[in-house]
Every structure is written in structure tokens, then in C-alpha cells.
mmCIF file of all heavy atoms in Angstrom:
data_model
loop_
_atom_site.group_PDB
_atom_site.id
_atom_site.type_symbol
_atom_site.label_atom_id
_atom_site.label_comp_id
_atom_site.label_asym_id
_atom_site.label_seq_id
_atom_site.Cartn_x
_atom_site.Cartn_y
_atom_site.Cartn_z
ATOM 1 N N PHE A 798 79.467 101.895 90.268
ATOM 2 C CA PHE A 798 79.777 101.410 91.585
ATOM 3 C C PHE A 798 78.617 101.603 92.528
ATOM 4 O O PHE A 798 78.120 102.800 92.538
ATOM 5 C CB PHE A 798 80.988 101.932 92.221
ATOM 6 C CG PHE A 798 82.280 101.600 91.350
ATOM 7 C CD1 PHE A 798 82.938 102.522 90.641
ATOM 8 C CD2 PHE A 798 82.861 100.252 91.504
ATOM 9 C CE1 PHE A 798 84.044 102.207 89.918
ATOM 10 C CE2 PHE A 798 83.977 100.023 90.704
ATOM 11 C CZ PHE A 798 84.548 100.964 89.987
ATOM 12 N N THR A 799 78.232 100.717 93.323
ATOM 13 C CA THR A 799 77.239 100.792 94.323
ATOM 14 C C THR A 799 77.896 101.074 95.665
ATOM 15 O O THR A 799 78.619 100.266 96.184
ATOM 16 C CB THR A 799 76.362 99.580 94.529
ATOM 17 O OG1 THR A 799 75.686 99.302 93.259
ATOM 18 C CG2 THR A 799 75.324 99.758 95.548
ATOM 19 N N PRO A 800 77.780 102.270 96.246
ATOM 20 C CA PRO A 800 78.549 102.566 97.507
ATOM 21 C C PRO A 800 78.203 101.602 98.609
ATOM 22 O O PRO A 800 77.014 101.314 98.799
ATOM 23 C CB PRO A 800 77.966 104.063 97.779
ATOM 24 C CG PRO A 800 77.253 104.441 96.686
ATOM 25 C CD PRO A 800 76.848 103.265 95.831
ATOM 26 N N GLN A 801 79.223 101.298 99.405
ATOM 27 C CA GLN A 801 78.857 100.411 100.513
ATOM 28 C C GLN A 801 78.539 101.322 101.780
ATOM 29 O O GLN A 801 78.778 102.518 101.755
ATOM 30 C CB GLN A 801 80.219 99.732 100.922
ATOM 31 C CG GLN A 801 80.632 98.562 100.038
ATOM 32 C CD GLN A 801 81.684 97.743 100.574
ATOM 33 O OE1 GLN A 801 82.555 98.226 101.388
ATOM 34 N NE2 GLN A 801 81.750 96.501 100.244
ATOM 35 N N ARG A 802 77.665 100.737 102.573
ATOM 36 C CA ARG A 802 77.290 101.482 103.751
ATOM 37 C C ARG A 802 78.475 101.830 104.616
ATOM 38 O O ARG A 802 78.485 102.929 105.240
ATOM 39 C CB ARG A 802 76.183 100.696 104.525
ATOM 40 C CG ARG A 802 74.923 100.437 103.767
ATOM 41 C CD ARG A 802 73.973 99.665 104.657
ATOM 42 N NE ARG A 802 72.742 99.389 103.898
ATOM 43 C CZ ARG A 802 71.681 98.663 104.394
ATOM 44 N NH1 ARG A 802 71.737 98.222 105.581
ATOM 45 N NH2 ARG A 802 70.642 98.523 103.731
ATOM 46 N N LEU A 803 79.392 100.919 104.818
ATOM 47 C CA LEU A 803 80.552 101.143 105.651
ATOM 48 C C LEU A 803 81.856 101.094 104.833
ATOM 49 O O LEU A 803 82.056 100.059 104.007
ATOM 50 C CB LEU A 803 80.576 100.120 106.746
ATOM 51 C CG LEU A 803 79.394 100.203 107.835
ATOM 52 C CD1 LEU A 803 79.628 99.102 108.797
ATOM 53 C CD2 LEU A 803 79.371 101.472 108.521
ATOM 54 N N PRO A 804 82.721 102.030 104.886
ATOM 55 C CA PRO A 804 84.000 101.935 104.189
ATOM 56 C C PRO A 804 84.840 100.888 104.730
ATOM 57 O O PRO A 804 84.745 100.453 105.842
ATOM 58 C CB PRO A 804 84.579 103.340 104.309
ATOM 59 C CG PRO A 804 84.027 103.804 105.646
ATOM 60 C CD PRO A 804 82.603 103.212 105.712
ATOM 61 N N ILE A 805 85.709 100.269 103.871
ATOM 62 C CA ILE A 805 86.607 99.286 104.297
ATOM 63 C C ILE A 805 87.748 99.885 105.149
ATOM 64 O O ILE A 805 88.492 100.859 104.562
ATOM 65 C CB ILE A 805 87.207 98.527 103.047
ATOM 66 C CG1 ILE A 805 85.999 97.791 102.284
ATOM 67 C CG2 ILE A 805 88.286 97.441 103.491
ATOM 68 C CD1 ILE A 805 86.508 97.251 101.048
ATOM 69 N N PRO A 806 88.147 99.392 106.276
ATOM 70 C CA PRO A 806 89.210 99.937 107.035
ATOM 71 C C PRO A 806 90.582 99.850 106.291
ATOM 72 O O PRO A 806 90.742 98.849 105.589
ATOM 73 C CB PRO A 806 89.289 99.103 108.322
ATOM 74 C CG PRO A 806 87.873 98.560 108.388
ATOM 75 C CD PRO A 806 87.432 98.384 107.033
ATOM 76 N N ILE A 807 91.383 100.834 106.328
ATOM 77 C CA ILE A 807 92.581 100.823 105.563
ATOM 78 C C ILE A 807 93.501 99.700 105.912
ATOM 79 O O ILE A 807 94.306 99.141 105.058
ATOM 80 C CB ILE A 807 93.317 102.241 105.798
ATOM 81 C CG1 ILE A 807 94.516 102.293 104.776
ATOM 82 C CG2 ILE A 807 93.788 102.335 107.170
ATOM 83 C CD1 ILE A 807 94.114 102.375 103.253
ATOM 84 N N GLU A 808 93.392 99.171 107.141
ATOM 85 C CA GLU A 808 94.305 98.011 107.600
ATOM 86 C C GLU A 808 93.838 96.719 106.866
ATOM 87 O O GLU A 808 94.661 95.816 106.807
ATOM 88 C CB GLU A 808 93.946 97.784 109.144
ATOM 89 C CG GLU A 808 94.590 98.913 110.064
ATOM 90 C CD GLU A 808 93.615 100.125 110.100
ATOM 91 O OE1 GLU A 808 92.448 99.991 109.626
ATOM 92 O OE2 GLU A 808 93.985 101.218 110.460
ATOM 93 N N GLN A 809 92.660 96.665 106.230
ATOM 94 C CA GLN A 809 92.307 95.517 105.523
ATOM 95 C C GLN A 809 92.613 95.593 104.054
ATOM 96 O O GLN A 809 92.416 94.593 103.280
ATOM 97 C CB GLN A 809 90.776 95.282 105.729
ATOM 98 C CG GLN A 809 90.291 94.987 107.073
ATOM 99 C CD GLN A 809 88.798 94.828 107.230
ATOM 100 O OE1 GLN A 809 88.146 94.466 106.225
ATOM 101 N NE2 GLN A 809 88.322 94.905 108.380
ATOM 102 N N VAL A 810 93.171 96.690 103.714
ATOM 103 C CA VAL A 810 93.532 96.879 102.261
ATOM 104 C C VAL A 810 95.019 96.458 101.976
ATOM 105 O O VAL A 810 95.877 96.865 102.869
ATOM 106 C CB VAL A 810 93.268 98.312 101.828
ATOM 107 C CG1 VAL A 810 93.718 98.565 100.383
ATOM 108 C CG2 VAL A 810 91.809 98.671 102.041
ATOM 109 N N GLU A 811 95.303 95.852 100.997
ATOM 110 C CA GLU A 811 96.798 95.356 100.643
ATOM 111 C C GLU A 811 97.573 96.765 100.633
ATOM 112 O O GLU A 811 97.145 97.782 100.222
ATOM 113 C CB GLU A 811 96.843 94.739 99.346
ATOM 114 C CG GLU A 811 96.300 93.286 99.406
ATOM 115 C CD GLU A 811 96.726 92.572 98.106
ATOM 116 O OE1 GLU A 811 97.792 92.711 97.592
ATOM 117 O OE2 GLU A 811 95.833 91.867 97.623
ATOM 118 N N SER A 812 98.806 96.506 100.992
ATOM 119 C CA SER A 812 99.868 97.726 100.867
ATOM 120 C C SER A 812 100.166 97.908 99.462
ATOM 121 O O SER A 812 99.836 97.118 98.558
ATOM 122 C CB SER A 812 101.106 97.274 101.594
ATOM 123 O OG SER A 812 101.745 96.237 100.958
ATOM 124 N N VAL A 813 100.650 99.199 99.304
ATOM 125 C CA VAL A 813 101.143 99.544 97.858
ATOM 126 C C VAL A 813 102.048 98.511 97.347
ATOM 127 O O VAL A 813 102.041 98.150 96.081
ATOM 128 C CB VAL A 813 101.651 100.991 97.912
ATOM 129 C CG1 VAL A 813 102.233 101.221 96.522
ATOM 130 C CG2 VAL A 813 100.602 101.921 98.334
ATOM 131 N N ASP A 814 103.070 98.124 98.117
ATOM 132 C CA ASP A 814 104.152 97.186 97.653
ATOM 133 C C ASP A 814 103.403 95.855 97.185
ATOM 134 O O ASP A 814 103.737 95.305 96.199
ATOM 135 C CB ASP A 814 105.107 96.870 98.801
ATOM 136 C CG ASP A 814 106.006 98.015 99.000
ATOM 137 O OD1 ASP A 814 106.191 98.824 98.165
ATOM 138 O OD2 ASP A 814 106.531 98.219 100.131
ATOM 139 N N SER A 815 102.422 95.432 97.927
ATOM 140 C CA SER A 815 101.765 94.158 97.573
ATOM 141 C C SER A 815 100.923 94.302 96.279
ATOM 142 O O SER A 815 100.913 93.415 95.485
ATOM 143 C CB SER A 815 100.860 93.716 98.749
ATOM 144 O OG SER A 815 100.092 92.547 98.458
ATOM 145 N N ILE A 816 100.277 95.410 96.166
ATOM 146 C CA ILE A 816 99.458 95.600 94.998
ATOM 147 C C ILE A 816 100.251 95.725 93.723
ATOM 148 O O ILE A 816 99.940 95.174 92.611
ATOM 149 C CB ILE A 816 98.608 96.958 95.126
ATOM 150 C CG1 ILE A 816 97.589 96.770 96.229
ATOM 151 C CG2 ILE A 816 97.933 97.338 93.838
ATOM 152 C CD1 ILE A 816 96.761 97.976 96.552
ATOM 153 N N CYS A 817 101.483 96.382 93.885
ATOM 154 C CA CYS A 817 102.326 96.540 92.678
ATOM 155 C C CYS A 817 102.915 95.294 92.077
ATOM 156 O O CYS A 817 103.208 95.142 91.073
ATOM 157 C CB CYS A 817 103.410 97.560 93.079
ATOM 158 S SG CYS A 817 102.903 99.288 93.138
ATOM 159 N N LYS A 818 102.948 94.272 93.069
ATOM 160 C CA LYS A 818 103.435 92.934 92.601
ATOM 161 C C LYS A 818 102.481 92.299 91.671
ATOM 162 O O LYS A 818 102.711 91.404 90.978
ATOM 163 C CB LYS A 818 103.624 92.073 93.843
ATOM 164 C CG LYS A 818 104.868 92.414 94.691
ATOM 165 C CD LYS A 818 104.864 91.577 95.904
ATOM 166 C CE LYS A 818 106.100 92.027 96.791
ATOM 167 N NZ LYS A 818 106.206 91.125 98.014
ATOM 168 N N ARG A 819 101.155 92.841 91.608
ATOM 169 C CA ARG A 819 100.244 92.335 90.730
ATOM 170 C C ARG A 819 100.268 92.985 89.314
ATOM 171 O O ARG A 819 99.436 92.573 88.423
ATOM 172 C CB ARG A 819 98.787 92.507 91.350
ATOM 173 C CG ARG A 819 98.567 91.912 92.626
ATOM 174 C CD ARG A 819 97.192 92.194 93.239
ATOM 175 N NE ARG A 819 97.003 91.583 94.521
ATOM 176 C CZ ARG A 819 96.406 90.409 94.756
ATOM 177 N NH1 ARG A 819 96.078 89.687 93.674
ATOM 178 N NH2 ARG A 819 96.166 89.924 95.884
ATOM 179 N N PHE A 820 101.025 94.035 89.179
ATOM 180 C CA PHE A 820 101.122 94.715 87.927
ATOM 181 C C PHE A 820 102.190 94.095 87.026
ATOM 182 O O PHE A 820 103.254 93.682 87.431
ATOM 183 C CB PHE A 820 101.476 96.155 88.082
ATOM 184 C CG PHE A 820 100.380 96.902 88.863
ATOM 185 C CD1 PHE A 820 100.734 98.063 89.622
ATOM 186 C CD2 PHE A 820 99.093 96.475 88.931
ATOM 187 C CE1 PHE A 820 99.789 98.747 90.217
ATOM 188 C CE2 PHE A 820 98.062 97.159 89.605
ATOM 189 C CZ PHE A 820 98.437 98.411 90.273
ATOM 190 N N LYS A 821 101.787 93.988 85.714
ATOM 191 C CA LYS A 821 102.717 93.492 84.657
ATOM 192 C C LYS A 821 102.649 94.318 83.399
ATOM 193 O O LYS A 821 101.701 95.062 83.194
ATOM 194 C CB LYS A 821 102.270 92.061 84.324
ATOM 195 C CG LYS A 821 102.176 91.080 85.455
ATOM 196 C CD LYS A 821 101.703 89.735 85.107
ATOM 197 C CE LYS A 821 101.777 88.720 86.226
ATOM 198 N NZ LYS A 821 101.240 87.377 85.739
ATOM 199 N N THR A 822 103.653 94.265 82.646
ATOM 200 C CA THR A 822 103.641 94.894 81.286
ATOM 201 C C THR A 822 103.064 93.865 80.312
ATOM 202 O O THR A 822 103.105 92.629 80.480
ATOM 203 C CB THR A 822 105.053 95.343 80.750
ATOM 204 O OG1 THR A 822 105.794 94.154 80.553
ATOM 205 C CG2 THR A 822 105.728 96.123 81.901
ATOM 206 N N GLY A 823 102.438 94.384 79.243
ATOM 207 C CA GLY A 823 101.878 93.547 78.259
ATOM 208 C C GLY A 823 103.108 92.908 77.416
ATOM 209 O O GLY A 823 104.168 93.334 77.592
ATOM 210 N N ALA A 824 102.729 91.916 76.747
ATOM 211 C CA ALA A 824 103.768 91.240 75.809
ATOM 212 C C ALA A 824 104.190 91.937 74.664
ATOM 213 O O ALA A 824 103.651 91.809 73.594
ATOM 214 C CB ALA A 824 103.276 89.779 75.480
ATOM 215 N N MET A 825 105.267 92.755 74.896
ATOM 216 C CA MET A 825 105.707 93.556 73.749
ATOM 217 C C MET A 825 107.242 93.230 73.443
ATOM 218 O O MET A 825 108.036 93.377 74.445
ATOM 219 C CB MET A 825 105.574 95.142 74.020
ATOM 220 C CG MET A 825 104.124 95.490 74.271
ATOM 221 S SD MET A 825 103.971 97.213 74.848
ATOM 222 C CE MET A 825 104.462 97.038 76.565
ATOM 223 N N SER A 826 107.495 92.555 72.356
ATOM 224 C CA SER A 826 108.759 91.954 72.261
ATOM 225 C C SER A 826 109.889 92.920 71.917
ATOM 226 O O SER A 826 109.636 94.077 71.390
ATOM 227 C CB SER A 826 108.697 90.916 71.030
ATOM 228 O OG SER A 826 108.571 91.660 69.815
ATOM 229 N N TYR A 827 111.116 92.473 72.233
ATOM 230 C CA TYR A 827 112.353 93.194 71.778
ATOM 231 C C TYR A 827 112.435 92.877 70.265
ATOM 232 O O TYR A 827 112.726 91.796 69.859
ATOM 233 C CB TYR A 827 113.609 92.669 72.502
ATOM 234 C CG TYR A 827 114.876 93.163 71.966
ATOM 235 C CD1 TYR A 827 115.129 94.496 71.795
ATOM 236 C CD2 TYR A 827 115.890 92.234 71.755
ATOM 237 C CE1 TYR A 827 116.294 94.961 71.180
ATOM 238 C CE2 TYR A 827 117.130 92.697 71.242
ATOM 239 C CZ TYR A 827 117.346 94.046 71.008
ATOM 240 O OH TYR A 827 118.450 94.567 70.558
ATOM 241 N N GLY A 828 112.379 93.862 69.531
ATOM 242 C CA GLY A 828 112.109 93.816 67.986
ATOM 243 C C GLY A 828 111.026 94.635 67.639
ATOM 244 O O GLY A 828 111.136 95.489 66.729
#
């Protein structure tokens, strides 16, 4: 990673609830 000169304000980062909506499990079948 190349460090940025200025950190991103926390207000501009998605909330935890929003980020978790992007998470999925892999396709592992019942069986």
C-alpha cells in the first residue's frame, strides 16, 4: 500500500452495517 498524504475522514467511510451487506458465503451446498 502507498500511504496517502491525508487520511480519509471517518464520515466518508461506509458504516459497518453497510459493509457487511457486501459479504457473502461461498457456494457450499447442502450435501
Side-chain angles (χ1 to χ4, degrees):
F798 295 108
T799 301
Q801 288 190 330
R802 295 182 180 179
L803 296 174
I805 299 174
I807 191 64
E808 293 78 14
Q809 297 181 16
V810 179
E811 286 190 42
S812 67
V813 172
D814 288 333
S815 178
I816 292 173
C817 286
K818 291 178 181 178
R819 300 176 181 271
F820 294 158
K821 302 177 177 180
T822 69
M825 299 174 285
S826 69
Y827 171 48

